[in-house]
Amino acid sequence: MKLQGKMSDIAVESKLLMQTLPVISYLPPDYDPDRRYPLLIAQDGRDYLQIGRLFSTADDWIGKNIIRAIVVIAIPYENLESRRQLYHPDGPKNRSYLRALSEEIVPQIAGRISIDPDPESRTLIGDSLGGTVSLAAALERPDLFRGVIMQSPYVNERIIEQIGSTEAIRALSIYHSIGREETAVKTTRGTVEDFLLPNRMLHRALSRSGPNHYTFHELDGGHTWRSWKPDVRSALLERFYADA
């Protein structure tokens, strides 16, 4: 499908990461620079664009007035190893990436594209480790990000403990999904891990901690885009429904 909105490449300079990030932007049809738009930031950006059809789905639904007009920023990863370094809680560049999101990427995007400054209008989306880092970014800076869409996030004990010990969780609106077949997921490190049980534990921790809004879905599927692609549509509807 040909986009009615506009897709562009944007170079974001990051001193914290000591590199230029090749960000991909989507502006909705009839984009008006005098209007402030909700913002969706996608980790694993090229996957969401090419496999998840994020831009084309948003474009179609905005045109049909199913969801509100939004700006989407997709941040691709360079390779699987660099992805782990940036997204994993123990990754050597994780702290720098979290700071880069809030201190470099968002300000540079806001300088070029008209986005709503209200943190309620800003959402982070990611699958697996991308979901993990999206949650971490919102917990760290709820003054900038209030929405989180995490599909099959990686979860460890430290994340569970953080949920129970931070007041920031109460400000967030979270969409959380996991596949029932994610009991033996082969990771990029070559290990095989159970994602389902830790995500159920995360669900219980989030339910107790009381986010502003929280939705949890168990999907009939595994740790693949076959499950995540239709789930992206469900998440977009919940977060950006036109009558919301």
Side-chain angles (χ1 to χ4, degrees), residues 7-242:
M7 185 173 70
S8 304
D9 293 326
I10 298 177
V12 173
E13 300 298 329
S14 173
K15 293 181 180 179
L16 289 164
L17 297 172
M18 295 183 291
Q19 67 180 102
T20 301
L21 299 172
V23 170
I24 307 166
S25 70
Y26 164 82
L27 303 184
D30 301 318
Y31 169 79
D32 181 355
D34 293 325
R35 178 181 172 186
R36 301 294 188 182
Y37 291 89
L39 173 66
L40 178 63
I41 298 179
Q43 325 299 332
D44 297 314
R46 201 167 298 282
D47 293 345
Y48 272 95
L49 170 59
Q50 296 178 345
I51 310 173
R53 302 297 182 189
L54 178 58
F55 286 10
S56 58
T57 299
D59 200 67
D60 181 35
W61 283 0
I62 291 168
K64 294 175 180 176
N65 199 36
I66 297 172
I67 64 172
R68 289 172 285 160
I70 62 174
V71 166
V72 185
I73 298 298
I75 309 174
Y77 57 85
E78 185 178 358
N79 53 55
L80 291 178
E81 179 55 33
S82 66
R83 177 182 183 268
R84 186 181 189 281
Q85 292 180 8
L86 296 172
Y87 294 177
H88 195 285
D90 297 326
K93 296 183 179 179
N94 181 253
R95 294 299 310 162
S96 295
Y97 183 68
L98 291 173
R99 287 186 58 196
L101 272 172
S102 59
E103 298 175 25
E104 295 176 327
I105 296 173
V106 168
Q108 289 186 51
I109 293 301
R112 306 182 197 190
I113 299 172
S114 183
I115 57 175
D116 194 329
D118 186 350
E120 293 285 353
S121 73
R122 296 177 177 181
T123 301
L124 300 151
I125 185 172
D127 65 273
S128 197
L129 281 174
T132 308
V133 78
S134 294
L135 177 62
L139 287 172
E140 187 160 299
R141 293 298 302 271
D143 59 314
L144 289 179
F145 312 109
R146 295 284 176 87
V148 177
I149 298 169
M150 50 182 182
Q151 300 179 282
S152 306
Y154 166 79
V155 180
N156 60 18
E157 290 183 5
R158 180 147 54 97
I159 294 169
I160 300 292
E161 291 173 0
Q162 184 182 14
I163 292 298
S165 62
T166 177
E167 288 295 318
I169 194 68
R170 298 183 181 277
L172 305 185
S173 294
I174 299 173
Y175 181 100
H176 175 198
S177 60
I178 184 69
R180 295 189 186 94
E181 297 175 18
E182 296 189 52
T183 54
V185 175
K186 187 174 182 180
T187 71
T188 54
R189 304 290 285 182
T191 60
V192 176
E193 300 186 26
D194 181 357
F195 271 57
L196 179 57
L197 179 58
N199 269 272
R200 284 175 171 171
M201 293 172 63
L202 177 61
H203 164 53
R204 289 194 290 270
L206 286 168
S207 298
R208 288 193 301 267
S209 299
N212 180 46
H213 180 77
Y214 176 54
T215 302
F216 177 67
H217 298 283
E218 288 196 5
L219 311 175
D220 292 324
H223 198 80
T224 69
W225 275 101
R226 181 173 293 181
S227 300
W228 298 329
K229 182 178 177 180
D231 189 52
V232 168
R233 300 167 71 89
S234 298
L236 286 178
L237 276 176
E238 178 162 313
R239 187 64 183 152
F240 300 109
Y241 185 59

